[in-house]
């Protein structure tokens, strides 16, 4: 038994090593043939590695919550092209290194849809990273001050899918705008970026305090991109019950 354990350790069969006693007992109880036992051993290791890899990808993605398309009420938001969204969930945009942009006012479901696509990518084995624009800009700015910008940029360049949420809630400094442009330039035709924004593209020059830089960024971002504009009601108000008017009490006679 000790020899088997050492062999499994050398082969890095961590999960088989952990369940070796149970596997051998199962083989004895069911009189498994050699090939059946070997398949059982290899299948356990492969499946356990897949689950561990998925867990690690999900942890690294930093998704704020889990969202799915099945939980999205397309009937409440008829402006959303459901067919196109479901096609995007097949992840052809990831395979072609294309981008997806959700535009619309707050509360219409942009982040929900972005997270749903990110969830599909994770389940398909792709690496994902989620960040709001504010967090991303502050992170890169701090890395620049610490002379660690190249390594920090790689954190955002490397994932197959990068989600940048809440574009438009705050303006960027000149340094932050240039760092965002550098990130989008490095990801151009190398990875897929999903963005949500409550401002139109015409306002991105003001957001970045530089019309020329914004134009250059959008040129790369939109070259291979699907843009979905959502004009509808806020989900946050969907289940809110209207307040009933208070009945006035009549004075007693």
């Amino acid at each position: 038994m000790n020899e088997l354990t050492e062999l499994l350790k050398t082969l890095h069969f961590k999960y088989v090593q952990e369940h070796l006693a149970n596997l051998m007992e199962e083989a004895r109880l069911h009189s498994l043939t050699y090939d059946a036992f070997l398949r059982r051993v290899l299948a356990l290791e492969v499946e356990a590695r897949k689950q561990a890899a998925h867990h690690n990808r999900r942890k690294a993605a930093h998704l704020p919550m889990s969202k799915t398309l099945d939980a999205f009420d397309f009937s409440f938001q008829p402006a959303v092209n459901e067919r196109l969204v479901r096609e995007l969930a097949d992840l052809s945009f990831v395979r072609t290194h294309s981008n997806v942009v959700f535009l619309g006012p707050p509360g219409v479901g942009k982040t929900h849809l972005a997270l749903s696509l990110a969830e599909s990518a994770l389940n398909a084995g792709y690496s994902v990273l989620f960040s709001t624009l504010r967090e991303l800009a502050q992170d890169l700015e701090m890395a620049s001050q610490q002379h660690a910008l190249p390594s920090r940029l790689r954190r955002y360049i490397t994932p197959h899918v990068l989600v940048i949420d809440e574009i438009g809630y705050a303006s960027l400094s000149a340094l932050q705008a240039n760092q965002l442009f550098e990130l989008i330039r490095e990801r151009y035709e190398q990875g897929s970026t999903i963005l949500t924004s409550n401002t139109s593209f015409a306002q991105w020059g003001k957001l970045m305090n530089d019309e020329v830089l914004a134009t250059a960024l959008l040129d790369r971002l939109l070259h291979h991109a699907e843009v979905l504009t959502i004009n509808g009601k806020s989900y946050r108000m969907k289940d809110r019950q209207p307040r009933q008017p208070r009945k006035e009490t009549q004075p007693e006679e």
Side-chain angles (χ1 to χ4, degrees), residues 62-77:
H62 295 289
L63 300 186
M65 62 196 78
S66 178
K67 293 289 186 181
T68 65
L69 288 185
D70 291 337
F72 189 86
D73 190 349
F74 287 95
S75 64
F76 180 77
Q77 217 62 285

Side-chain angles (χ1 to χ4, degrees), residues 212-226:
V212 174
L213 192 63
T215 300
L217 182 148
L218 288 170
D219 180 61
R220 288 162 175 79
L221 182 66
L222 302 179
H223 184 206
H224 308 292
E226 290 286 355

Side-chain angles (χ1 to χ4, degrees), residues 6-38:
E6 286 302 315
L7 287 170
L8 292 171
K9 188 175 181 180
T10 301
L11 291 169
H12 303 290
F13 274 32
K14 172 184 175 182
Y15 304 101
V16 171
Q17 184 180 340
E18 291 173 355
H19 297 89
L20 182 58
N22 291 335
L23 287 167
M24 295 181 71
E25 180 64 20
E26 180 185 349
R28 281 192 290 269
L29 288 174
H30 298 283
S31 302
L32 296 182
T33 61
Y34 294 129
D35 62 330
F37 178 66
L38 182 59

Side-chain angles (χ1 to χ4, degrees), residues 81-208:
N81 187 332
E82 181 177 358
R83 180 186 61 80
L84 176 56
V85 172
R86 294 199 180 279
E87 285 179 359
L88 290 170
D90 288 337
L91 305 176
S92 60
F93 78 97
V94 181
R95 294 187 288 274
T96 58
H97 308 306
S98 301
N99 305 317
V100 181
V101 185
F102 294 103
L103 299 177
V108 295
K110 302 184 301 297
T111 300
H112 184 138
L113 292 173
L115 287 172
S116 296
L117 295 182
E119 191 80 29
S120 296
L122 279 175
N123 291 336
Y126 292 107
S127 56
V128 174
L129 179 60
F130 175 96
S131 177
T132 64
L133 178 59
R134 181 190 295 272
E135 291 168 343
L136 185 152
Q138 291 176 346
D139 189 32
L140 292 181
E141 184 175 29
M142 183 176 296
S144 179
Q145 294 169 356
Q146 297 171 347
H147 307 290
L149 183 60
S151 62
R152 192 60 56 86
L153 266 173
R154 280 196 296 274
R155 177 174 183 258
Y156 295 98
I157 294 169
T158 303
H160 295 108
V161 178
L162 173 65
V163 183
I164 305 177
D165 195 28
E166 297 183 353
I167 296 175
Y169 284 90
S171 296
L172 302 178
S173 67
L175 175 62
Q176 291 172 338
N178 275 280
Q179 290 171 342
L180 177 63
F181 171 75
E182 185 175 350
L183 171 61
I184 297 299
R185 182 186 63 192
E186 290 296 325
R187 288 189 62 82
Y188 176 62
E189 296 187 332
Q190 300 299 317
S192 297
T193 305
I194 303 173
L195 303 97
T196 74
S197 177
N198 66 345
T199 59
S200 67
F201 296 133
Q203 297 173 291
W204 283 34
K206 183 178 180 182
L207 166 70
M208 300 180 69

Side-chain angles (χ1 to χ4, degrees), residues 15 49-61 122:
Y15 304 101
R49 288 186 184 187
K50 285 182 179 178
Q51 292 180 6
H54 183 268
H55 173 77
N56 291 336
R57 285 195 306 273
R58 178 173 293 280
K59 186 177 179 180
L122 279 175

